[in-house]
Amino acid sequence: MALQASPFPNGCVAGAHAVGWALILPCFWFLDRLIAVCKSTTLERTQRQEQECYLHPLKVFFGSIAFFVLFLLTTPLAFLGFLLWAPLQACRRPFYYHRERPASLEMETHRGFELTGKASFGFASANLCLLPDSLARFNNLGDSQRRAALIGERIVQGVCRPHIRIFIDSPSSCGTLSPSNSMLPTSSSTYGATDRQAPTPGHESHRSAPRALLSQGLREQDDVPWEVSSLFPANVDILCLEEVFDKRAAQKLTNVLKPVFGHILYDVGLYACQPPCGCNSFKFFNSGLFVASRFPVLEAEYHCFPNSRGEDALAAKGLLCTKLLIGHNQKQKKVVGFFNCTHLHAPEGEGKIRCDQLNMVTKWIGDFQAVHKRQEEEVAFDVLCGDFNFDNCSPDDTLEQNHSLFTEYRDPCRAGPRKEKPWVIGTLLKQPTLYDESVNTPEGLQRALEREDLRRQYICPPVPAAGLPLVYPENGQPWIGRRIDYLLYRESSVSTRTEIEEVTFITHLAGLTDHIPVGLRLNITMDSGSNE
């Protein structure tokens, strides 16, 4: 049975919640604009210098006064709305579930198992920093609503391409090429940074001078095919997004993505004061998690981390576990998949908190699967992804790097604790350089990531241990930088043989977020015993 769409038990409660939020929203919006008008991104400062705009100080002065007055005037209404809104959170289920009705049921399931016992599944994960506009500006990112719409359009543009590999018969060939880098067009426009318009979803234009084919596409090293792609991978089946905190941005993303991903979980998390009602229990923001799937969601369960501290305690960060209906195998047994996503504690130097959260993640996933795994079902995949907020190269993250989670789930990019595979690329960008001309387009960022000297310039370096100098990289090792966005998979809990088809570092969201999205495609083969 599919999940209920509304997080509220009935329409009366949902209506009361809507009224409460409508009373709060004007005050919240005016406060957001009050802060935003005083905080500019580097892109906006550059544009003002180019336009010789001398009116900005007046805009800040009078805008601050106007928004502050409006904030004060709407505060009494917001207080009344809060008195109505806050108690209703106790009966709110921690997510919305949007289901787009398909033209046929076959569109929602994967028929490869039924015919051959084999299938391929694509996953992608991206941190979007879709906070309220004023807070996003502290990460050098503004205009969250416009960014949300553009991000959705770019994702659709990428994932709706045909999944084609081009084989080159040449002694110097890398093997296979991805059309995302060679034959298909890419968008050269950047959020607010160029006057050229991005192609709309489904529309393609021809690149005037594609780069040398043999330097492009999939490269294979350590038995893992990988690439840096200027487009989202084609035919992504399940998409996990982090930091989609803003409700309006989440709705914009849902509207753009729903024709492609018919099953979407958004506004995931808790609000207001939650048991046991401690000093860190009041949540102003949800978890920021957002999951879009081509497959129906059979079960979903959310857990909030109870040990958050500081500014992280204002958001309901946690773990979302889902069970998806994939299809049927050759014996007509139901095939399902488990997809889990999380966003861990952010501040540096607090690895103990993150380790405790990883312990919770491991336990909660185990509990969820123990309850919802059925003996008569076959499990195709068990994936864990998200923004872990630690990397595999920083001395400051030693505790997390040695966590037992990595003995259960396989990280395709990891050779061991404190040792990345040589082809890996960091996923956390330096915020002050997001709009540099060299990296403010998908193609420009792609070129920069492929060069080690430029990666040093645009990717965040490792974090040293307290009081100790940083020596990085070690002699003979490549400069990788901080990779804090993960896509992991587990083989011990599934009924299939799993092989990695490709790992992708995605530059399609250049200028729209301070993270590099990552992709993973797995080839799945049912064990012979399952099909006989």
Side-chain angles (χ1 to χ4, degrees):
M1 176 183 288
L3 296 178
Q4 177 187 348
S6 173
F8 298 101
N10 55 62
C12 181
V13 176
H17 178 270
V19 171
W21 180 246
L23 294 173
I24 295 172
L25 184 58
C27 180
F28 176 82
W29 190 83
F30 290 132
L31 177 61
D32 183 52
R33 299 319 305 162
L34 171 63
I35 300 172
V37 77
C38 301
K39 181 70 175 177
S40 299
T41 65
T42 56
L43 174 62
E44 291 168 337
R45 290 196 291 269
T46 301
Q47 290 174 336
R48 287 198 298 268
Q49 292 174 355
E50 293 174 351
Q51 298 168 2
E52 297 184 355
C53 181
Y54 303 110
L55 298 179
H56 180 67
L58 294 177
K59 176 184 175 182
V60 172
F61 179 74
F62 289 107
S64 300
I65 293 176
F67 287 126
F68 181 69
V69 171
L70 291 169
F71 166 71
L72 292 179
L73 291 176
T74 54
T75 298
L77 283 177
F79 180 72
L80 292 176
F82 178 81
L83 294 179
L84 178 61
W85 171 86
L88 296 177
Q89 304 311 307
C91 61
R92 177 186 178 274
R93 185 188 62 186
F95 51 80
Y96 283 83
Y97 176 43
H98 174 87
R99 179 178 182 181
E100 195 76 2
R101 294 294 176 181
S104 67
L105 293 178
E106 292 182 357
M107 295 180 61
E108 289 193 330
T109 57
H110 200 304
R111 296 185 61 81
F113 283 132
E114 185 176 333
L115 301 174
T116 65
K118 298 180 180 180
S120 174
F121 297 97
F123 309 90
S125 178
N127 183 312
L128 303 184
C129 195
L130 288 176
L131 290 150
D133 189 36
S134 58
L135 300 181
R137 289 170 177 270
F138 288 92
N139 285 9
N140 201 23
L141 291 161
D143 206 346
S144 293
Q145 306 308 313
R146 183 164 180 258
R147 280 195 299 119
L150 287 173
I151 287 169
E153 290 171 5
R154 292 195 187 182
I155 292 173
V156 169
Q157 178 191 3
V159 302
C160 289
R161 296 175 294 116
H163 189 212
I164 301 171
R165 289 294 173 205
I166 304 168
F167 290 86
I168 304 293
D169 186 12
S170 166
S172 60
S173 171
C174 298
T176 59
L177 296 180
S178 166
S180 64
N181 290 322
S182 57
M183 301 303 290
L184 292 183
T186 57
S187 165
S188 57
S189 66
T190 298
Y191 162 65
T194 179
D195 56 0
R196 289 179 288 178
Q197 296 298 314
T200 56
H203 174 73
E204 296 179 357
S205 60
H206 294 284
R207 292 175 59 185
S208 57
R211 297 190 293 157
L213 290 179
L214 296 184
S215 67
Q216 304 286 313
L218 286 181
R219 286 151 281 193
E220 186 165 336
Q221 196 167 338
D222 299 317
D223 298 323
V224 178
W226 63 278
E227 68 171 325
V228 181
S229 173
S230 60
L231 288 176
F232 260 81
N235 294 340
V236 169
D237 295 297
I238 308 169
L239 176 68
C240 171
L241 305 175
E242 301 89 46
E243 292 199 8
V244 187
F245 290 114
D246 188 272
K247 291 183 179 181
R248 291 182 297 152
Q251 191 61 60
K252 280 185 168 63
L253 272 176
T254 300
N255 292 338
V256 177
L257 296 178
K258 66 185 181 182
V260 179
F261 300 96
H263 303 269
I264 298 176
L265 297 173
Y266 66 98
D267 196 9
V268 178
L270 307 170
Y271 292 98
C273 193
Q274 301 293 329
C277 299
C279 60
N280 286 339
S281 65
F282 193 94
K283 305 301 178 184
F284 288 92
F285 300 103
N286 59 32
S287 69
L289 297 175
F290 181 108
V291 171
S293 168
R294 298 183 191 267
F295 306 117
V297 181
L298 296 176
E299 305 286 349
E301 191 173 281
Y302 162 80
H303 296 273
C304 182
F305 294 132
N307 64 338
S308 297
R309 291 197 316 202
E311 62 185 34
D312 257 34
L314 302 177
K317 286 186 176 182
L319 172 74
L320 177 65
C321 301
T322 65
K323 177 184 176 182
L324 309 174
L325 174 61
I326 307 303
H328 294 81
N329 65 9
Q330 292 170 306
K331 293 186 66 176
Q332 293 303 306
K333 293 182 68 174
K334 185 184 293 185
V335 179
V336 300
F338 289 103
F339 185 77
N340 315 282
C341 54
T342 189
H343 188 184
L344 301 184
H345 190 68
E348 297 173 1
E350 298 189 353
K352 179 61 168 60
I353 292 178
R354 280 186 288 274
C355 279
D356 290 341
Q357 291 178 349
L358 288 175
N359 291 337
M360 298 176 205
V361 164
T362 303
K363 179 182 184 302
W364 289 336
I365 291 176
D367 293 345
F368 178 79
Q369 295 186 9
V371 171
H372 297 294
K373 185 182 290 186
R374 302 285 182 262
Q375 187 174 1
E376 66 274 13
E377 297 173 342
E378 302 290 348
V379 180
F381 56 78
D382 181 355
V383 170
L384 169 63
C385 68
D387 180 353
F388 286 13
N389 272 313
F390 67 85
D391 58 59
N392 197 35
C393 61
S394 292
D396 188 58
D397 294 335
T398 300
L399 282 175
E400 303 95 299
Q401 293 157 1
N402 289 277
H403 195 274
S404 60
L405 175 81
F406 294 104
T407 64
E408 294 191 34
Y409 282 89
R410 181 182 174 187
D411 180 357
C413 300
R414 170 184 163 109
R418 290 288 306 279
K419 187 177 181 181
E420 298 279 58
K421 294 182 178 179
W423 48 267
V424 171
I425 293 172
T427 62
L428 184 61
L429 295 169
K430 293 181 179 178
Q431 294 170 354
T433 62
L434 292 179
Y435 307 109
D436 282 13
E437 187 174 353
S438 299
V439 294
N440 65 5
T441 66
E443 292 172 320
L445 182 56
Q446 179 192 38
R447 287 190 290 268
L449 295 184
E450 290 174 340
R451 290 179 49 183
E452 185 172 329
D453 58 329
L454 292 180
R455 289 204 296 270
R456 293 172 180 260
Q457 185 175 346
Y458 295 110
I459 294 179
C460 289
V463 181
L468 297 176
L470 176 65
V471 179
Y472 180 82
E474 297 179 1
N475 291 335
Q477 296 299 313
W479 199 98
I480 292 171
R482 300 201 70 194
R483 179 179 64 91
I484 66 174
D485 299 272
Y486 291 76
L487 268 167
L488 316 177
Y489 68 97
R490 181 161 59 177
E491 297 175 285
S492 61
S493 58
V494 303
S495 315
T496 60
R497 296 192 302 275
T498 306
E499 295 180 353
I500 301 172
E501 182 176 323
E502 66 184 48
V503 173
T504 311
F505 299 94
I506 306 161
T507 65
H508 205 174
L509 302 186
L512 297 174
T513 180
D514 55 351
H515 287 243
I516 302 294
V518 292
L520 174 66
R521 179 163 287 276
L522 299 176
N523 285 327
I524 305 298
T525 304
M526 298 300 297
D527 289 338
S528 57
S530 301
N531 295 322
E532 293 177 355

